[in-house]
Amino acid sequence: MVTAPTEASKRQIKVHKDAATRYGDKGTSVFDGADNRFTDAYALKTADGGALILFSHTHTQTDAVAHSGLQINPSEKDRAWLHDVPRTSIRYTFVCNDAATVPAEPAKGESSRLIGYTCARTNASGPPVPAQLHRA
Protein backbone atom coordinates (compact mmCIF):
# COMPACT_ATOMS: atom_id res chain seq x y z
CA MET A 1 0.00 0.00 0.00
CA VAL A 2 1.48 3.35 -1.05
CA THR A 3 0.58 6.17 1.27
CA ALA A 4 0.54 9.92 0.81
CA PRO A 5 2.29 12.05 3.45
CA THR A 6 -0.01 12.83 6.38
CA GLU A 7 0.48 14.26 9.85
CA ALA A 8 0.37 10.68 11.21
CA SER A 9 2.98 9.37 8.76
CA LYS A 10 5.25 12.38 9.32
CA ARG A 11 4.97 11.88 13.11
CA GLN A 12 5.82 8.19 12.74
CA ILE A 13 8.90 8.98 10.62
CA LYS A 14 10.04 11.64 13.12
CA VAL A 15 9.69 9.26 16.09
CA HIS A 16 11.93 6.69 14.37
CA LYS A 17 14.43 9.30 13.19
CA ASP A 18 14.73 10.82 16.68
CA ALA A 19 15.18 7.39 18.27
CA ALA A 20 17.84 6.41 15.73
CA THR A 21 20.05 9.39 16.63
CA ARG A 22 19.39 9.85 20.35
CA TYR A 23 22.59 8.12 21.52
CA GLY A 24 24.88 10.13 19.24
CA ASP A 25 28.28 8.41 19.00
CA LYS A 26 27.68 6.32 22.15
CA GLY A 27 25.18 3.88 20.63
CA THR A 28 22.78 2.95 17.87
CA SER A 29 19.09 2.25 17.40
CA VAL A 30 18.01 0.04 14.51
CA PHE A 31 14.40 -0.67 13.50
CA ASP A 32 13.22 -3.82 11.76
CA GLY A 33 10.00 -5.61 10.92
CA ALA A 34 8.92 -8.53 13.07
CA ASP A 35 6.55 -11.47 12.81
CA ASN A 36 3.04 -10.16 13.28
CA ARG A 37 0.63 -12.55 14.94
CA PHE A 38 -2.20 -10.01 14.58
CA THR A 39 -2.88 -10.45 10.88
CA ASP A 40 -6.57 -9.59 10.79
CA ALA A 41 -7.52 -6.36 9.04
CA TYR A 42 -10.91 -4.68 9.18
CA ALA A 43 -12.39 -2.38 6.57
CA LEU A 44 -15.42 -0.15 6.42
CA LYS A 45 -16.67 1.09 3.08
CA THR A 46 -16.92 4.88 2.98
CA ALA A 47 -19.69 6.90 1.35
CA ASP A 48 -17.43 7.78 -1.60
CA GLY A 49 -16.66 4.10 -2.31
CA GLY A 50 -13.26 4.07 -0.62
CA ALA A 51 -12.45 2.31 2.64
CA LEU A 52 -11.26 2.89 6.17
CA ILE A 53 -8.87 0.09 7.09
CA LEU A 54 -7.80 -0.88 10.61
CA PHE A 55 -4.81 -3.19 10.94
CA SER A 56 -1.82 -4.00 13.14
CA HIS A 57 1.88 -4.30 12.52
CA THR A 58 4.82 -5.39 14.66
CA HIS A 59 8.35 -4.05 14.65
CA THR A 60 11.50 -4.15 16.73
CA GLN A 61 13.94 -1.51 17.87
CA THR A 62 17.40 -2.67 18.90
CA ASP A 63 19.47 -0.22 20.94
CA ALA A 64 23.14 -1.09 21.36
CA VAL A 65 26.19 0.56 22.90
CA ALA A 66 28.89 1.71 20.48
CA HIS A 67 31.80 0.17 22.38
CA SER A 68 32.69 -1.77 25.52
CA GLY A 69 32.59 0.12 28.78
CA LEU A 70 29.17 1.59 28.03
CA GLN A 71 25.83 0.23 29.21
CA ILE A 72 22.12 0.86 28.77
CA ASN A 73 20.22 1.11 32.03
CA PRO A 74 16.63 -0.14 31.76
CA SER A 75 14.00 2.53 32.23
CA GLU A 76 11.22 2.17 34.78
CA LYS A 77 8.78 1.00 32.09
CA ASP A 78 11.19 -1.77 31.01
CA ARG A 79 11.89 -3.23 34.43
CA ALA A 80 9.12 -5.83 34.10
CA TRP A 81 11.26 -7.48 31.41
CA LEU A 82 14.79 -6.36 32.23
CA HIS A 83 14.70 -5.71 35.98
CA ASP A 84 17.47 -3.28 37.02
CA VAL A 85 20.20 -5.14 35.14
CA PRO A 86 22.32 -2.94 32.80
CA ARG A 87 22.54 -4.23 29.22
CA THR A 88 24.91 -3.93 26.28
CA SER A 89 21.94 -3.99 23.91
CA ILE A 90 18.18 -4.12 24.25
CA ARG A 91 15.72 -5.38 21.65
CA TYR A 92 12.25 -3.91 22.12
CA THR A 93 9.20 -5.35 20.38
CA PHE A 94 6.24 -3.11 19.57
CA VAL A 95 2.73 -3.86 18.34
CA CYS A 96 1.07 -0.95 16.56
CA ASN A 97 -2.54 -0.41 15.57
CA ASP A 98 -2.99 1.64 12.41
CA ALA A 99 -5.86 3.35 10.63
CA ALA A 100 -5.65 4.22 6.95
CA THR A 101 -7.96 5.43 4.23
CA VAL A 102 -7.95 3.92 0.76
CA PRO A 103 -9.47 5.89 -2.12
CA ALA A 104 -12.29 4.45 -4.22
CA GLU A 105 -10.20 4.59 -7.39
CA PRO A 106 -6.48 4.50 -6.55
CA ALA A 107 -5.62 4.17 -10.23
CA LYS A 108 -6.62 7.82 -10.69
CA GLY A 109 -3.52 8.94 -8.80
CA GLU A 110 -4.96 9.12 -5.30
CA SER A 111 -2.94 7.46 -2.57
CA SER A 112 -3.86 5.69 0.61
CA ARG A 113 -3.36 7.77 3.75
CA LEU A 114 -2.24 6.75 7.22
CA ILE A 115 -4.58 8.76 9.44
CA GLY A 116 -3.60 7.47 12.86
CA TYR A 117 -1.66 4.90 14.83
CA THR A 118 -0.69 3.94 18.34
CA CYS A 119 2.15 1.64 19.42
CA ALA A 120 2.84 -0.23 22.64
CA ARG A 121 5.97 -2.03 23.80
CA THR A 122 5.21 -5.71 24.31
CA ASN A 123 8.66 -7.11 25.13
CA ALA A 124 12.25 -6.16 25.88
CA SER A 125 15.31 -8.39 26.11
CA GLY A 126 19.06 -8.21 25.82
CA PRO A 127 22.36 -9.48 27.15
CA PRO A 128 23.42 -8.19 30.56
CA VAL A 129 26.61 -6.23 30.98
CA PRO A 130 29.38 -8.63 32.09
CA ALA A 131 29.53 -8.82 35.89
CA GLN A 132 33.01 -7.32 36.17
CA LEU A 133 31.91 -4.19 34.27
CA HIS A 134 28.66 -3.90 36.21
CA ARG A 135 30.52 -3.65 39.53
CA ALA A 136 32.76 -0.81 38.34
Side-chain angles (χ1 to χ4, degrees):
M1 169 168 57
V2 177
T3 61
T6 63
E7 288 304 313
S9 65
K10 290 175 189 173
R11 185 173 69 245
Q12 196 171 59
I13 290 167
K14 182 178 181 341
V15 165
H16 289 93
K17 183 179 177 181
D18 290 351
T21 59
R22 74 174 180 216
Y23 293 119
D25 63 353
K26 295 192 179 352
T28 60
S29 291
V30 176
F31 294 88
D32 200 3
D35 289 337
N36 184 10
R37 61 182 213 181
F38 307 103
T39 57
D40 292 343
Y42 302 91
L44 299 171
K45 186 174 180 180
T46 58
D48 66 358
L52 170 66
I53 303 195
L54 305 172
F55 60 98
S56 296
H57 78 273
T58 304
H59 71 273
T60 62
Q61 172 185 335
T62 303
D63 294 349
V65 298
H67 54 81
S68 64
L70 297 175
Q71 65 188 36
I72 301 171
N73 296 317
S75 69
E76 188 174 305
K77 62 186 169 190
D78 297 322
R79 289 188 182 138
W81 297 291
L82 303 170
H83 311 287
D84 284 322
V85 179
R87 309 289 168 149
T88 55
S89 68
I90 300 174
R91 182 177 187 237
Y92 304 101
T93 302
F94 296 87
V95 174
C96 303
N97 295 309
D98 304 273
T101 58
V102 177
E105 298 183 46
K108 290 189 173 185
E110 292 182 68
S111 296
S112 300
R113 299 172 51 84
L114 179 68
I115 59 171
Y117 71 93
T118 185
C119 294
R121 188 172 294 155
T122 59
N123 192 19
S125 62
V129 170
Q132 67 274 17
L133 295 177
H134 183 24
R135 290 188 203 123

